[in-house]
Amino acid sequence: MPLLSNFINGSWQKSLEHNRVPVVNPANLETLAEVACGQETTVDVDNAVKAASAALNDWSNTPVMERVKPLYQLRSLLEEHKNALAETITLECGKTLSESLGEMTRAIENVEMACATPALIQSEFSEDIASGIDEFMIRQPLGVAACISPFNFPGMIPFWFFPYALACGNTYIIKPSEKVPMTMNKLFSLIEQLDLPKGVINLVHGSKESTNALLTHPEVKAISFVGSSEVAKYVYATAAAHGKRVQAQGGAKNPIVVLPDADMEMTTKIVVDSVYGCAGQRCLAASTIITVGGASKGFREAIADSAASRVTGFGLDQGVEMGPVITPESKQRIENLIQQGINEGAKPLIDGRSPRVAGYEKGNFIAPTILENIPRGSELNTTEIFGPVMNLMHIKSVDEAINFINSGRYGNMACLFTSSGSSARKFRKEVKAGNIGINIGVAAPMAQFPFSGWKDSFYGDLHGQGRHAIEFFTQTKVVVERWPKDWSRKF
Ligand code: NAD
């Protein structure tokens, strides 16, 4: 079985391989490759940091217009190889091919946005703050930066960070999830073709050991993390304690509120897509659906019919609308949570545990599930399930719905479906979440916007993408200069 290589200092390098972990297709549990994990990977990290440090001086002194040129090349290569990248995502991550293609589209948009860095990095200049004195601010790179990414968007998430980091003059290291490492190897087979000096961008594999090596390495100046809140909180604290700039995106428990005046046909379709897209393994997936007042009438039946008709299977097969969850452990955890909800008094409107998917009997499949009326105090109302499970609840008023949402620990996204402008305005103003949808499910924001998140969904200050990324990957220097008119006569 092939062991995935690292890409360090411009070439493919074999990892020390004491602890090989299989990379598994979640639809049939076949091993696709192997990846190195364990203590030895800290040596790989050290080698990658050395390469990135050595490349830093020349790269940070390269004019920004030159630094974005490889990004234009990357954009063309990504368009050309988008299908192959998407197929790899589906194979190792399980989502459908169209979901994987959508992921790559978002990745490309971030490359396009980062190509605007020459304009975005420009700063303020004040002439004559006093007679003959000017003051201005410049943005300079931080140094070596790194990202640590989760399993659910292996192709997109590193793109929230690295194109901007490189364009701003930093050098970079990507550490993908050990569950889905193949997509980045495929991407680096394209990066290898760019006119980039060696060491400017590097790939290292591994799990918590390589993460820790990055968080504590004195030469790494910035960390971008995306994953579960427990690890995000740890990453934030550890990297900050080691003097690094950190942004750490965490988990979620996202609500959608449906008012009686909503367009129910449109709402049903969008809610089902939002809950079951990527088998619920999206940090912006809706998890709790709250109907207010009379909105439940007819809606619960429509939503159950629509969810039950969703075709579950292997993401590369035609007609499949939902893939498996990532691991057998994940499937077991989600099925246990469903049972816990039922034991606590929730009613299973549809129960998708252990569906039979012909030809993929070993796969980690769970079909769409709806639990109605999980008791308010239940752990299921606060735990991130990260699977195709909808918690359907009924509440009397918008105020009660907003209070319920704001009492939760997460704040990634919240949506409202209504035809009332004043209800929509109240909702977007009062709900404590970083992404709001009105009559639309929330997908990852376009690249010109920051990927926001509140409460336990985000630790840090500046987010990924767009202007926030430019700010995150640069440090400001304010210069004040005096050039009296008559000085030139002295020289
Ligand atoms: P995870 O936290 O298990 O892993 C994320 C990364 O951290 C991986 O690269 C992994 O190798 C590393 N890691 C895991 N445990 C570690 C530890 N103890 N110490 C150091 N490093 C460790 O997350 P996951 O299961 O891969 O991804 C799913 C989670 O990511 C969900 O909670 C989801 O909501 C979240 N997520 C959030 C966003 C967002 O934008 N807020 C986006 C995507 C996913």
Side-chain angles (χ1 to χ4, degrees):
M1 193 48 65
L3 178 74
L4 295 173
S5 295
N6 298 310
F7 187 84
I8 297 174
N9 207 25
S11 67
W12 292 101
Q13 297 187 13
K14 207 165 170 232
S15 179
L16 297 165
E17 52 177 282
H18 296 263
N19 186 8
R20 284 172 167 234
V21 172
V23 182
V24 175
N25 178 346
N28 56 18
L29 299 196
E30 277 174 15
T31 299
L32 301 164
E34 285 185 323
V35 66
C37 288
Q39 201 53 37
E40 295 78 18
T41 58
T42 61
V43 179
D44 300 328
V45 168
D46 196 46
N47 289 336
V49 177
K50 280 192 183 113
S53 296
L56 184 63
N57 188 47
D58 282 355
W59 183 246
S60 60
N61 283 301
T62 301
V64 62
M65 287 300 278
E66 295 299 316
R67 292 199 301 249
V68 296
K69 282 188 179 156
L71 296 179
Y72 284 96
Q73 290 176 306
L74 179 58
R75 187 199 173 282
S76 302
L77 286 171
L78 286 170
E79 283 292 359
E80 198 183 321
H81 297 274
K82 194 172 164 179
N83 283 331
L85 283 156
E87 274 177 25
T88 305
I89 293 173
T90 295
L91 272 180
E92 65 177 356
C93 182
K95 61 181 67 169
T96 66
L97 186 62
S98 70
E99 288 168 342
S100 300
L101 283 166
E103 175 173 348
M104 285 319 301
T105 300
R106 283 300 164 88
I108 292 168
E109 286 164 4
N110 272 285
V111 176
E112 290 165 346
M113 186 69 202
C115 287
T117 301
L120 295 171
I121 207 168
Q122 284 179 12
S123 258
E124 295 117 55
F125 183 99
S126 290
E127 198 172 45
D128 288 322
I129 55 161
S131 180
I133 300 176
D134 304 327
E135 192 161 33
F136 56 96
M137 186 180 85
I138 49 181
R139 289 191 173 276
Q140 295 188 329
L142 299 173
V144 178
C147 83
I148 298 139
S149 56
F151 79 80
N152 64 331
F153 281 91
M156 174 181 73
I157 285 177
F159 283 85
W160 293 345
F161 313 112
F162 86 82
Y164 305 95
L166 297 188
C168 289
N170 304 275
T171 53
Y172 212 73
I173 300 167
I174 296 176
K175 205 281 308 159
S177 162
E178 68 280 15
K179 291 176 188 144
V180 291
M182 290 165 50
T183 304
M184 275 298 120
N185 275 53
K186 212 161 195 104
L187 175 75
F188 271 75
S189 70
L190 305 180
I191 285 182
E192 184 179 19
Q193 299 170 40
L194 306 178
D195 294 326
L196 267 178
K198 60 184 188 176
V200 167
I201 182 160
N202 306 274
L203 168 69
V204 284
H205 289 294
S207 55
K208 61 183 176 195
E209 294 81 3
S210 49
T211 304
N212 283 329
L214 288 166
L215 302 183
T216 55
H217 201 296
E219 287 297 310
V220 175
K221 303 299 177 198
I223 293 284
S224 302
F225 173 88
V226 182
S228 57
S229 289
E230 285 60 38
V231 183
K233 199 170 186 174
Y234 161 77
V235 164
Y236 184 71
T238 308
H242 285 82
K244 301 177 200 329
R245 189 174 284 190
V246 205
Q247 46 186 195
Q249 297 182 213
K253 180 86 180 167
N254 301 311
I256 288 183
V257 178
V258 183
L259 300 192
D261 60 7
D263 174 334
M264 288 302 173
E265 203 181 320
M266 176 189 81
T267 305
T268 303
K269 188 186 172 317
I270 295 175
V271 165
V272 169
D273 284 346
S274 181
V275 175
Y276 302 111
C278 298
Q281 299 175 117
R282 290 189 306 128
C283 66
L284 292 170
S287 172
T288 306
I289 308 303
I290 304 168
T291 60
V292 172
S296 65
K297 197 164 170 280
F299 178 73
R300 52 195 293 285
E301 291 78 12
I303 210 106
D305 283 352
S306 175
S309 69
R310 220 165 168 91
V311 180
T312 303
F314 176 39
L316 290 182
D317 286 348
Q318 283 270 315
V320 167
E321 296 172 296
M322 195 176 87
V325 296
I326 189 70
T327 57
E329 294 74 32
S330 187
K331 175 177 154 85
Q332 189 62 56
R333 184 186 59 80
I334 295 163
E335 291 190 343
N336 290 347
L337 282 168
I338 295 171
Q339 188 57 49
Q340 185 184 330
I342 294 169
N343 293 347
E344 287 178 343
K347 183 176 168 209
L349 219 52
I350 46 174
D351 184 345
R353 283 177 289 179
S354 298
R356 210 187 104 70
V357 179
Y360 300 95
E361 284 74 11
K362 287 189 181 160
N364 311 321
F365 293 101
I366 304 178
T369 296
I370 302 179
L371 295 178
E372 194 176 20
N373 297 329
I374 294 173
R376 287 281 176 97
S378 165
E379 187 199 338
L380 262 86
N381 271 325
T382 50
T383 301
E384 179 180 40
I385 298 176
F386 223 55
V389 181
M390 179 194 299
N391 166 13
L392 180 61
M393 64 192 294
H394 311 291
I395 269 181
K396 286 203 187 80
S397 67
V398 181
D399 281 314
E400 199 187 338
I402 292 175
N403 285 341
F404 175 78
I405 293 168
N406 288 347
S407 68
R409 66 176 282 216
Y410 298 108
N412 223 31
M413 84 77 158
C415 294
L416 179 75
F417 286 79
T418 183
S419 53
S420 152
S422 60
S423 299
R425 186 169 188 276
K426 177 184 173 66
F427 189 84
R428 78 164 146 76
K429 231 176 151 197
E430 294 181 15
V431 166
K432 295 185 188 350
N435 297 279
I436 299 289
I438 303 291
N439 292 325
I440 189 166
V442 176
M446 296 298 287
Q448 61 267 42
F449 290 102
F451 193 119
S452 191
W454 287 23
K455 301 201 277 185
D456 277 352
S457 296
F458 182 71
Y459 303 94
D461 178 8
L462 296 163
H463 300 87
Q465 301 198 149
R467 283 181 195 282
H468 271 222
I470 304 292
E471 286 186 41
F472 183 81
F473 288 114
T474 52
Q475 48 199 337
T476 54
K477 188 179 271 179
V478 176
V479 182
V480 60
E481 286 189 358
R482 184 206 302 271
W483 291 106
K485 278 190 201 136
D486 51 351
W487 271 22
S488 53
R489 274 186 265 128
K490 292 187 181 166
F491 299 105

